[in-house]
């Protein structure tokens, strides 16, 4: 499926330069027609041979143009960021609907008003993408039983007796 996503980027994306390379790199990782993929900043830097600031700027520009979404509610392998290509997903859904009706038919060119299909969490989980557990500001506790489970083994620091 990444072939269709890459093809959409080559033929229909308005991005240029580093933004296009970043979008192609993400599109190359798309496993199915939902057009959801995961990537870390470091992997995007390596694949595009761009600096961290250039990749971050490209991601911001792509999000502003509507060609890329960051899915905050999901997390990829190794805590990587999950992205979605919404226009690509809409075009692929439109093409699939057209070929279901008539196998010989071609889909019309993409428009901004094409509806983006809903995400299927079960299919995302197959590709290593899972829902985020809680918020970033509330990390899981290391000891789920709590500190009252046993007394501390540390010796308290003796008080200093002043002069």
């Amino acid at each position: 499926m990444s072939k269709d996503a890459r093809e959409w980027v080559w033929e229909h994306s308005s991005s240029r330069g580093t933004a296009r390379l970043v979008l192609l790199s993400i599109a190359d990782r798309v496993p199915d027609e939902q057009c959801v993929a995961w990537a870390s900043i470091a992997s995007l830097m390596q694949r595009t041979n761009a600096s961290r600031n250039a990749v971050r700027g490209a991601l911001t520009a792509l999000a502003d143009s509507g060609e890329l979404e960051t899915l905050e509610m999901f997390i990829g392998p190794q805590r990587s960021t999950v992205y979605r290509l919404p226009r690509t997903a809409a075009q692929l859904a439109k093409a699939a609907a057209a070929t279901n009706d008539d196998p010989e038919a071609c889909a019309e060119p993409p428009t901004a008003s094409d509806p983006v299909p809903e995400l299927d969490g079960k299919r995302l989980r197959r590709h290593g993408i899972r829902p985020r557990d809680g918020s970033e500001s509330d990390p899981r506790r290391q000891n789920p039983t709590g500190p009252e489970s046993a007394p501390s083994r540390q010796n308290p620091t003796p008080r200093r007796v002043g002069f």
Side-chain angles (χ1 to χ4, degrees):
M1 190 52 61
S2 67
K3 177 184 175 276
D4 295 332
R6 277 193 320 265
E7 190 173 307
W8 185 92
V9 173
W10 282 117
E11 293 177 6
H12 302 289
S13 175
S14 61
S15 60
R16 299 178 58 193
T18 304
R20 180 163 273 205
L21 284 176
V22 168
L23 192 60
L24 282 166
S25 179
I26 293 170
D28 192 36
R29 295 178 175 199
V30 169
D32 61 12
E33 66 274 359
Q34 294 189 88
C35 295
V36 176
W38 55 270
S40 66
I41 298 286
S43 68
L44 292 173
M45 288 170 49
Q46 184 178 19
R47 293 185 84 184
T48 61
N49 199 23
S51 69
R52 180 176 302 274
N53 288 339
V55 169
R56 284 185 177 161
L59 290 170
T60 301
L62 290 166
D64 291 344
S65 72
E67 293 187 20
L68 186 70
E69 291 177 343
T70 302
L71 300 178
E72 300 292 337
M73 71 285 277
F74 292 102
I75 191 165
Q78 300 173 353
R79 299 182 49 85
S80 56
T81 307
V82 178
Y83 300 101
R84 184 176 195 192
L85 288 72
R87 292 185 184 170
T88 310
Q91 176 62 22
L92 292 178
K94 188 177 187 179
T99 56
N100 284 346
D101 295 339
D102 181 13
E104 300 295 320
C106 291
E108 297 175 10
T111 62
S113 63
D114 289 340
V116 179
E118 293 293 320
L119 291 175
D120 181 7
K122 289 180 182 178
R123 287 178 33 207
L124 292 177
R125 197 173 270 286
R126 270 189 278 165
H127 304 294
I129 299 170
R130 63 190 187 284
R132 199 177 280 273
D133 299 335
S135 66
E136 288 290 318
S137 63
D138 185 28
R140 290 189 197 185
R141 292 172 52 190
Q142 294 295 325
N143 185 359
T145 60
E148 58 275 342
S149 63
S152 174
R153 292 185 186 173
Q154 277 186 327
N155 291 332
T157 306
R159 291 187 174 248
R160 294 179 59 184
V161 178
F163 298 104

